[in-house]
Amino acid sequence: MKAGYCCIGGILWVKNGDTLLLVDDTQRRSWTLRGDEAIAWELLCTGYRYEKLVRQLSLILALDETAAREHLQAMLHTWHQKGILQQNGAGS
Amino acid sequence: MTNLAISTVCNLNCPYCFAGDHMGEVGGEQPYISRETFAQQLDYLDRSGIDEARLLGGEPTLHPEFPALVAMARQRNKRIVVFSNGLMRPAALDCLMALPETHCHVMLNINAPALNPAPVLTRQKATLKRLGQRAMVGFNIYQPNIGMDFLLDVIDETACQRRVRLGMAQPCLSGENDSIRPHQYRFIAEKIVAFARKAAARQITLEFDCGFVRCMFTDDELAFLEANGSTIGWHCNPILDIDAHNQVIHCYPLTGVGAINLDATSTATTLRAHFSEQVAMYRQAGIFPECINCPLKQRGECTGGCLAVTMRRFRHSDFAIQVAEQEAQ
Ligand code: SF4
Ligand code: SF4
């Protein structure tokens, strides 16, 4: 079984050096992503599949694949908790 | 300040025009403000304690009732400010000439020769000559490699005010107009300073529209400009533009961002607060990636440039990712 996440509607982002600024225009909220989170977000926005994303993260962050997978899961979970992501099919 | 856009039509077709979304056709549906709506906008100016009626278009003087609108504003003791391309009807020009010099200011925009056929410039010069001290020249820099020296001759020839208002063409959010890109700012700053030196030699000063940024000029260049009477605000404030149907926008390039209708209680203070809130999140960024950590921005000495440029840097994030179900818990 597959489940997934997608970005909630209306989120825009911009890269400023190694920092990303995310804004949710519809709900007037904003977040700043730095470090690993900024890297993961940019990779997500390239449209990579999950497994490729894990591999890329493991290379960029010099983690083994299991650690990279756990790290990514934790980030996705955090963004979900913050309301940046929603689970697929949850509507926008 | 608030600009009242009384006409949605224009008799020129400038490639950098950022009023695109608001422009209509001559003979199209309601291209001009009605007297009733204009009176509501004058009420708004009164409520806001604003003593200027700043008339904008399209080309505002094309409004068939332009003299009547000017008279209405004068009855409220407003100073008349007109943003025009100078191709105005005799009745419009006569009505401006009938105003006391202290109560009439025409910002006459002249295009670069490549965009301005000679007969257009001839007419613009004739208008400037007639308006004399009621008028000053405005110029929009819409390409980096643009010559401005001819403006100094125009000023000498027409005896209008010895000032030039420079604007930098900013993009509409749709990006459909010609505009200057931030990486071209530094090159443009050098051209402006070279122009300012020639202008200063002829006792002509420069003024700057919104959207210029502090880091485009070196300290020495800035000192020179200021010593020669230029004022640069590094500002991007909600000037507020109200269209012919009482729709209020932050400014033309940001058409559609938080637009609201003017009502009987709106004041410039409440509207500005509304727009400031609408764009606050975007202001954190700036036109350059460096803006977010810029000490000048942190000290409030630069707003980070034109918000329309900043907002066009933002990207959509419409990704979806499939993960194993147990990983999505
Ligand atoms: S805030 Fe941005 S545009 Fe303004 S001076 Fe700093 S780096 Fe330049
Ligand atoms: S967004 Fe700011 S700088 Fe850009 S045109 Fe509007 S007021 Fe001027």
Side-chain angles (χ1 to χ4, degrees), chain A residues 1-7 11-17 21 23-25 28-30 41 44-45 48 50 53 69 73 76-77 85 87-88, chain B residues 277-282 284-286 288-293 310-311 313-329:
Chain A
M1 279 288 286
K2 290 271 185 181
Y5 294 104
C6 60
C7 199
I11 289 203
L12 301 170
W13 65 282
V14 68
K15 185 173 182 178
N16 297 306
L21 174 65
V23 304
D24 173 2
D25 211 359
R28 321 217 65 72
R29 301 176 299 168
S30 68
W41 184 272
L44 270 165
C45 289
Y48 286 160
Y50 189 66
L53 202 59
R69 185 181 303 276
Q73 279 167 22
L76 292 170
H77 182 70
L85 301 184
Q87 293 205 302
N88 266 347
Chain B
E277 201 247 316
Q278 292 289 316
V279 300
M281 292 184 309
Y282 296 98
Q284 296 173 66
F288 297 117
E290 297 77 24
C291 294
I292 204 144
N293 295 316
T310 299
M311 289 175 78
R313 288 182 59 221
F314 279 78
R315 297 193 242 162
H316 288 276
S317 47
D318 45 7
F319 60 81
I321 188 144
Q322 296 296 319
V323 300
E325 192 172 27
Q326 63 275 19
E327 294 182 20
Q329 301 307 311

XYZ file of all heavy atoms in Angstrom, chain A residues 1-7 11-17 21 23-25 28-30 41 44-45 48 50 53 69 73 76-77 85 87-88, chain B residues 277-282 284-286 288-293 310-311 313-329:
565
model
N 0.839 -1.199 0.000
C 0.000 0.000 0.000
C 0.881 1.259 0.000
O 1.878 1.326 0.677
C -0.880 0.043 1.262
C -2.139 -0.819 1.183
S -3.376 -0.116 0.082
C -3.980 1.240 1.089
N 0.470 2.214 -0.786
C 1.213 3.474 -0.832
C 0.350 4.588 -0.262
O -0.856 4.637 -0.493
C 1.564 3.825 -2.279
C 2.613 2.911 -2.884
C 3.965 3.450 -2.599
C 5.021 2.614 -3.314
N 6.355 3.092 -3.047
N 0.964 5.472 0.479
C 0.296 6.700 0.907
C 1.222 7.830 0.491
O 2.250 7.584 -0.139
C 0.088 6.686 2.410
N 0.887 9.037 0.845
C 1.808 10.095 0.432
C 1.455 11.447 0.990
O 0.490 11.612 1.737
N 2.297 12.388 0.627
C 2.100 13.771 1.049
C 2.080 14.663 -0.185
O 2.745 14.363 -1.177
C 3.275 14.243 1.905
C 3.426 13.563 3.241
C 4.410 12.598 3.436
C 2.614 13.929 4.310
C 4.580 12.003 4.671
C 2.782 13.332 5.554
C 3.759 12.372 5.735
O 3.929 11.787 6.948
N 1.356 15.743 -0.064
C 1.512 16.793 -1.069
C 1.495 18.126 -0.350
O 1.070 18.225 0.809
C 0.444 16.721 -2.146
S -1.207 16.898 -1.530
N 1.972 19.109 -1.060
C 2.046 20.436 -0.494
C 0.635 21.003 -0.393
O -0.163 20.788 -1.304
C 2.890 21.279 -1.444
S 3.524 22.706 -0.685
N 1.060 27.367 -1.400
C 2.399 27.628 -0.834
C 3.381 28.012 -1.940
O 3.487 27.349 -2.963
C 2.938 26.415 -0.047
C 2.140 26.268 1.251
C 4.425 26.577 0.253
C 2.834 25.523 2.351
N 4.061 29.116 -1.703
C 5.093 29.591 -2.621
C 6.407 29.621 -1.846
O 6.394 29.770 -0.626
C 4.768 31.004 -3.112
C 3.440 31.182 -3.842
C 3.148 32.663 -4.050
C 3.480 30.483 -5.183
N 7.493 29.487 -2.567
C 8.772 29.514 -1.852
C 9.840 30.198 -2.679
O 9.746 30.293 -3.900
C 9.207 28.093 -1.468
C 9.504 27.204 -2.638
C 8.588 26.573 -3.422
C 10.785 26.858 -3.165
N 9.218 25.845 -4.395
C 10.570 25.992 -4.254
C 12.097 27.175 -2.799
C 11.608 25.458 -5.002
C 13.148 26.628 -3.543
C 12.888 25.789 -4.619
N 10.841 30.680 -1.961
C 11.954 31.356 -2.631
C 13.242 30.988 -1.904
O 13.236 30.758 -0.688
C 11.731 32.887 -2.662
C 11.822 33.505 -1.275
C 12.714 33.573 -3.591
N 14.304 30.913 -2.682
C 15.597 30.554 -2.098
C 16.425 31.811 -1.883
O 16.602 32.617 -2.795
C 16.326 29.608 -3.060
C 17.617 29.077 -2.506
C 18.204 28.028 -3.434
C 19.476 27.494 -2.813
N 20.101 26.469 -3.576
N 16.898 31.989 -0.668
C 17.791 33.101 -0.354
C 19.057 32.501 0.226
O 19.093 32.150 1.403
C 17.155 34.038 0.669
C 15.893 34.671 0.128
O 15.899 35.270 -0.934
N 14.792 34.522 0.849
N 20.082 32.336 -0.570
C 21.288 31.673 -0.097
C 20.951 30.243 0.290
O 20.337 29.512 -0.488
N 12.438 30.529 2.105
C 11.275 31.168 2.725
C 10.034 30.600 2.057
O 9.909 30.642 0.831
C 11.353 32.684 2.520
C 10.140 33.489 2.977
C 9.956 33.415 4.488
C 10.286 34.957 2.549
N 5.871 30.746 1.907
C 4.710 31.523 2.343
C 3.438 30.816 1.887
O 3.394 30.224 0.814
C 4.725 32.986 1.818
C 5.986 33.714 2.216
C 4.540 33.062 0.324
N 2.476 30.860 2.764
C 1.154 30.318 2.449
C 0.248 31.520 2.249
O -0.198 32.152 3.212
C 0.667 29.457 3.619
C -0.776 29.004 3.432
O -1.383 29.318 2.382
O -1.300 28.340 4.346
N 0.029 31.847 0.978
C -0.673 33.079 0.642
C -2.129 33.041 1.090
O -2.698 34.070 1.423
C -0.596 33.281 -0.880
C -0.588 34.749 -1.228
O -0.663 35.570 -0.300
O -0.525 35.065 -2.427
N -1.917 33.209 5.087
C -1.022 34.230 5.596
C -0.083 33.705 6.683
O -0.023 34.232 7.782
C -1.804 35.449 6.097
C -2.986 35.841 5.261
C -3.179 37.321 5.152
N -2.095 37.962 4.454
C -1.896 37.848 3.131
N -2.699 37.151 2.401
N -0.884 38.451 2.552
N 0.605 32.627 6.338
C 1.604 32.074 7.254
C 2.918 31.961 6.496
O 2.919 31.887 5.270
C 1.199 30.665 7.719
C -0.140 30.616 8.416
C -0.522 29.193 8.770
N -0.638 28.349 7.590
C -0.732 27.022 7.621
N -0.717 26.388 8.772
N -0.845 26.322 6.514
N 4.006 31.944 7.217
C 5.289 31.744 6.534
C 6.224 30.920 7.412
O 6.060 30.876 8.638
C 5.930 33.087 6.166
O 6.324 33.790 7.316
N 13.609 20.073 0.768
C 12.499 20.770 0.103
C 12.808 20.996 -1.379
O 11.973 20.750 -2.246
C 12.227 22.105 0.807
C 11.042 22.813 0.228
C 11.032 23.687 -0.817
C 9.684 22.646 0.616
N 9.757 24.098 -1.102
C 8.904 23.478 -0.224
C 9.038 21.894 1.604
C 7.520 23.575 -0.113
C 7.651 21.996 1.714
C 6.917 22.823 0.861
N 12.465 17.808 -3.211
C 11.047 17.474 -3.393
C 10.447 18.254 -4.563
O 9.684 17.719 -5.358
C 10.261 17.844 -2.124
C 10.149 16.760 -1.062
C 9.678 17.377 0.253
C 9.139 15.706 -1.509
N 10.841 19.524 -4.637
C 10.267 20.374 -5.687
C 10.790 20.028 -7.083
O 10.233 20.483 -8.076
C 10.496 21.850 -5.369
S 9.486 22.383 -3.985
N 11.369 14.494 -7.807
C 11.949 13.148 -7.685
C 10.975 12.187 -7.017
O 10.229 12.575 -6.121
C 13.221 13.176 -6.825
C 14.444 13.774 -7.503
C 15.507 14.244 -6.740
C 14.540 13.849 -8.877
C 16.627 14.787 -7.334
C 15.665 14.389 -9.480
C 16.701 14.855 -8.705
O 17.811 15.390 -9.293
N 10.177 9.070 -4.455
C 10.620 8.934 -3.064
C 11.964 8.211 -2.954
O 12.878 8.677 -2.255
C 9.541 8.185 -2.277
C 9.776 8.154 -0.792
C 9.733 9.322 -0.042
C 10.034 6.950 -0.137
C 9.941 9.303 1.323
C 10.240 6.923 1.223
C 10.192 8.094 1.954
O 10.399 8.065 3.304
N 14.747 10.303 -4.060
C 14.938 11.369 -3.074
C 15.785 10.860 -1.907
O 16.723 11.536 -1.456
C 13.539 11.767 -2.575
C 13.339 13.123 -1.952
C 13.712 14.214 -2.930
C 11.873 13.276 -1.574
N 16.525 7.828 4.939
C 15.080 7.565 4.874
C 14.404 8.032 6.164
O 13.367 8.698 6.136
C 14.852 6.057 4.656
C 13.407 5.637 4.451
C 13.320 4.132 4.269
N 14.145 3.664 3.152
C 13.745 3.668 1.876
N 12.530 4.088 1.561
N 14.550 3.238 0.938
N 11.690 10.973 6.513
C 10.381 10.717 7.141
C 10.113 11.731 8.246
O 9.012 12.265 8.374
C 10.363 9.327 7.778
C 10.115 8.196 6.829
C 10.432 6.856 7.513
O 10.440 6.737 8.734
N 10.698 5.862 6.696
N 9.252 15.098 6.724
C 7.894 15.098 6.154
C 6.862 15.170 7.276
O 5.870 15.912 7.195
C 7.666 13.840 5.307
C 8.467 13.746 4.007
C 8.334 12.346 3.383
C 8.012 14.798 2.997
N 7.126 14.431 8.343
C 6.209 14.412 9.475
C 6.125 15.813 10.100
O 5.041 16.326 10.385
C 6.703 13.380 10.494
C 5.794 13.254 11.676
N 4.537 12.675 11.582
C 5.946 13.646 12.965
C 3.969 12.720 12.774
N 4.799 13.307 13.625
N 2.456 20.429 4.653
C 2.056 19.298 3.803
C 0.734 18.739 4.289
O 0.375 18.891 5.464
C 3.099 18.175 3.873
C 4.530 18.496 3.468
C 5.371 17.210 3.513
C 4.577 19.082 2.062
N -1.687 14.995 3.835
C -1.601 13.648 3.294
C -2.408 13.605 2.022
O -3.439 14.277 1.889
C -2.057 12.640 4.334
C -1.059 12.630 5.497
C -1.012 11.345 6.269
O -2.027 10.921 6.800
N 0.149 10.731 6.353
N -1.912 12.850 1.082
C -2.565 12.786 -0.241
C -4.029 12.459 -0.122
O -4.428 11.606 0.655
C -1.914 11.704 -1.095
C -0.842 12.299 -1.963
O -0.760 13.519 -2.103
N -0.023 11.457 -2.548
N -0.341 44.599 5.193
C -0.543 43.262 5.752
C -0.553 42.199 4.647
O 0.020 41.121 4.792
C -1.870 43.268 6.523
C -1.996 42.161 7.543
C -3.047 41.166 7.164
O -4.122 41.605 6.743
O -2.783 39.953 7.253
N -1.166 42.555 3.525
C -1.239 41.602 2.407
C 0.138 41.189 1.890
O 0.332 40.071 1.456
C -2.004 42.232 1.224
C -3.481 42.471 1.467
C -4.246 41.176 1.509
O -4.039 40.305 0.681
N -5.118 41.039 2.488
N 1.076 42.136 1.924
C 2.369 41.850 1.283
C 3.483 41.575 2.296
O 4.609 41.296 1.903
C 2.800 43.010 0.344
C 1.769 43.231 -0.746
C 3.033 44.303 1.122
N 3.122 41.633 3.584
C 4.164 41.563 4.627
C 5.046 40.321 4.477
O 6.267 40.405 4.607
C 3.514 41.591 6.003
N 4.439 39.180 4.182
C 5.232 37.944 4.119
C 6.268 38.020 3.008
O 7.377 37.521 3.142
C 4.314 36.753 3.854
C 3.406 36.446 5.009
S 2.461 34.976 4.661
C 1.776 35.281 3.063
N 5.877 38.628 1.899
C 6.801 38.706 0.760
C 7.936 39.682 1.031
O 9.026 39.538 0.506
C 6.048 39.115 -0.509
C 5.039 38.080 -0.909
C 3.704 38.221 -0.575
C 5.428 36.938 -1.604
C 2.773 37.260 -0.924
C 4.517 35.974 -1.955
C 3.184 36.130 -1.621
O 2.284 35.170 -1.960
N 9.661 39.956 3.536
C 10.787 39.321 4.218
C 11.891 38.995 3.217
O 13.059 38.964 3.564
C 10.356 38.001 4.859
C 9.331 38.121 5.964
C 8.870 36.727 6.373
O 9.623 35.947 6.906
N 7.621 36.420 6.095
N 11.487 38.711 1.976
C 12.485 38.326 0.966
C 13.128 39.587 0.408
O 13.831 40.287 1.128
C 11.839 37.473 -0.110
N 12.900 39.918 -0.807
C 13.573 41.052 -1.441
C 13.935 40.640 -2.851
O 13.782 39.475 -3.221
N 16.851 40.413 -4.258
C 18.054 39.586 -4.339
C 18.047 38.558 -3.209
O 17.529 38.851 -2.119
C 19.324 40.444 -4.168
C 19.539 41.480 -5.227
C 19.542 42.830 -4.913
C 19.758 41.108 -6.551
C 19.757 43.802 -5.885
C 19.981 42.068 -7.532
C 19.974 43.418 -7.199
N 18.681 37.402 -3.422
C 18.803 36.447 -2.312
C 19.482 37.078 -1.089
O 19.195 36.728 0.036
C 19.670 35.330 -2.900
C 19.478 35.427 -4.373
C 19.245 36.873 -4.674
N 20.368 38.052 -1.348
C 21.124 38.673 -0.245
C 20.246 39.565 0.622
O 20.617 39.902 1.749
C 22.270 39.552 -0.788
C 23.334 38.825 -1.580
C 22.903 38.485 -3.005
O 22.009 39.158 -3.551
O 23.445 37.504 -3.554
N 19.102 39.988 0.104
C 18.295 40.973 0.840
C 17.915 40.473 2.230
O 17.835 41.245 3.176
C 17.012 41.307 0.074
S 17.292 42.164 -1.473
N 17.667 39.161 2.332
C 17.126 38.639 3.589
C 18.086 38.881 4.757
O 17.665 39.042 5.891
C 16.730 37.151 3.441
C 15.667 36.793 4.476
C 17.926 36.215 3.498
C 14.647 35.820 3.977
N 19.372 38.959 4.460
C 20.338 39.231 5.538
C 20.977 40.610 5.416
O 21.992 40.878 6.044
C 21.456 38.172 5.524
C 20.923 36.802 5.849
O 20.128 36.666 6.771
N 21.320 35.794 5.083
N 10.169 41.015 -6.359
C 10.325 40.013 -5.302
C 9.322 38.878 -5.485
O 9.681 37.697 -5.446
C 10.099 40.670 -3.922
O 11.078 41.675 -3.744
C 10.203 39.657 -2.797
N 8.078 39.241 -5.703
C 7.040 38.203 -5.791
C 7.251 37.304 -7.003
O 6.905 36.132 -6.990
C 5.653 38.846 -5.801
C 5.329 39.428 -4.429
S 3.789 40.331 -4.366
C 2.632 38.981 -4.298
N 10.018 36.232 -7.893
C 11.062 35.251 -7.561
C 10.464 33.984 -6.945
O 11.107 32.943 -6.941
C 12.044 35.850 -6.535
C 12.967 36.929 -7.074
C 13.924 37.401 -5.983
N 14.731 36.312 -5.487
C 15.048 36.098 -4.211
N 14.635 36.936 -3.283
N 15.775 35.075 -3.853
N 9.277 34.103 -6.365
C 8.698 32.948 -5.670
C 8.242 31.883 -6.659
O 7.790 32.199 -7.755
C 7.505 33.393 -4.811
C 7.919 33.975 -3.488
C 8.396 35.269 -3.396
C 7.850 33.217 -2.330
C 8.791 35.809 -2.185
C 8.239 33.740 -1.107
C 8.710 35.050 -1.036
N 8.373 30.641 -6.213
C 7.982 29.520 -7.073
C 6.857 28.730 -6.435
O 6.731 28.700 -5.204
C 9.175 28.579 -7.264
C 10.326 29.244 -7.967
C 11.313 28.206 -8.399
N 12.591 28.391 -7.760
C 13.517 27.448 -7.690
N 13.288 26.252 -8.180
N 14.677 27.683 -7.123
N 6.087 28.078 -7.274
C 5.021 27.217 -6.760
C 5.618 25.917 -6.254
O 6.680 25.496 -6.684
C 4.002 26.917 -7.862
C 3.173 28.104 -8.186
N 2.044 28.439 -7.467
C 3.324 29.063 -9.127
C 1.532 29.547 -7.950
N 2.285 29.951 -8.960
N 4.919 25.301 -5.354
C 5.395 24.010 -4.847
C 4.223 23.042 -4.941
O 3.450 22.913 -4.016
C 5.829 24.159 -3.395
O 4.835 24.854 -2.683
N 4.103 22.439 -6.095
C 2.932 21.597 -6.303
C 3.320 20.119 -6.380
O 2.792 19.361 -7.155
C 2.180 22.022 -7.577
C 3.138 22.258 -8.726
O 4.332 21.966 -8.545
O 2.687 22.719 -9.785
N 4.290 19.737 -5.540
C 4.738 18.344 -5.591
C 3.801 17.430 -4.799
O 3.072 17.851 -3.908
C 6.159 18.215 -5.039
C 6.297 18.670 -3.607
C 5.940 17.840 -2.562
C 6.790 19.928 -3.324
C 6.059 18.257 -1.248
C 6.908 20.357 -2.010
C 6.539 19.524 -0.967
N 3.843 16.184 -5.170
C 3.174 15.137 -4.391
C 4.141 13.980 -4.353
O 4.815 13.689 -5.337
C 1.884 14.730 -5.076
N 4.240 13.337 -3.223
C 5.208 12.238 -3.116
C 4.550 11.015 -2.495
O 3.798 11.136 -1.528
C 6.454 12.705 -2.317
C 7.528 11.638 -2.373
C 6.147 13.055 -0.877
C 8.898 12.187 -2.448
N 4.806 9.900 -3.122
C 4.259 8.637 -2.622
C 5.283 7.977 -1.724
O 6.445 7.849 -2.100
C 3.957 7.691 -3.793
C 2.873 8.193 -4.734
C 1.533 8.306 -4.042
O 1.167 7.434 -3.257
N 0.818 9.378 -4.323
N 4.854 7.552 -0.551
C 5.759 6.825 0.343
C 5.034 5.562 0.798
O 3.813 5.466 0.683
C 6.166 7.673 1.575
C 6.868 8.935 1.139
C 4.958 8.012 2.425
N 5.801 4.595 1.280
C 5.157 3.396 1.824
C 4.258 3.832 2.974
O 4.616 4.738 3.735
C 6.221 2.427 2.312
N 3.067 3.209 3.098
C 2.059 3.703 4.030
C 2.594 3.827 5.454
O 2.342 4.811 6.135
C 0.826 2.816 4.016
C -0.327 3.479 4.764
C -1.608 2.709 4.594
O -1.557 1.492 4.382
O -2.655 3.326 4.676
N 3.382 2.820 5.873
C 3.860 2.876 7.256
C 4.811 4.056 7.476
O 4.960 4.554 8.584
C 4.510 1.549 7.689
C 5.750 1.145 6.929
C 5.421 0.392 5.639
O 4.302 0.462 5.121
N 6.397 -0.331 5.119
N 5.395 4.553 6.363
C 6.304 5.689 6.498
C 5.562 7.013 6.574
O 6.125 8.027 6.944
C 7.292 5.729 5.327
C 8.243 4.552 5.329
C 9.257 4.633 4.198
O 9.474 5.731 3.666
O 9.831 3.584 3.855
N 4.297 7.001 6.148
C 3.539 8.246 6.151
C 2.814 8.472 7.474
O 2.118 9.457 7.631
C 2.531 8.232 5.003
N 2.951 7.540 8.417
C 2.224 7.667 9.690
C 2.889 8.704 10.596
O 4.068 8.875 10.581
C 2.171 6.314 10.408
C 1.494 5.223 9.606
C 0.106 5.586 9.108
O -0.719 6.056 9.883
N -0.153 5.378 7.836
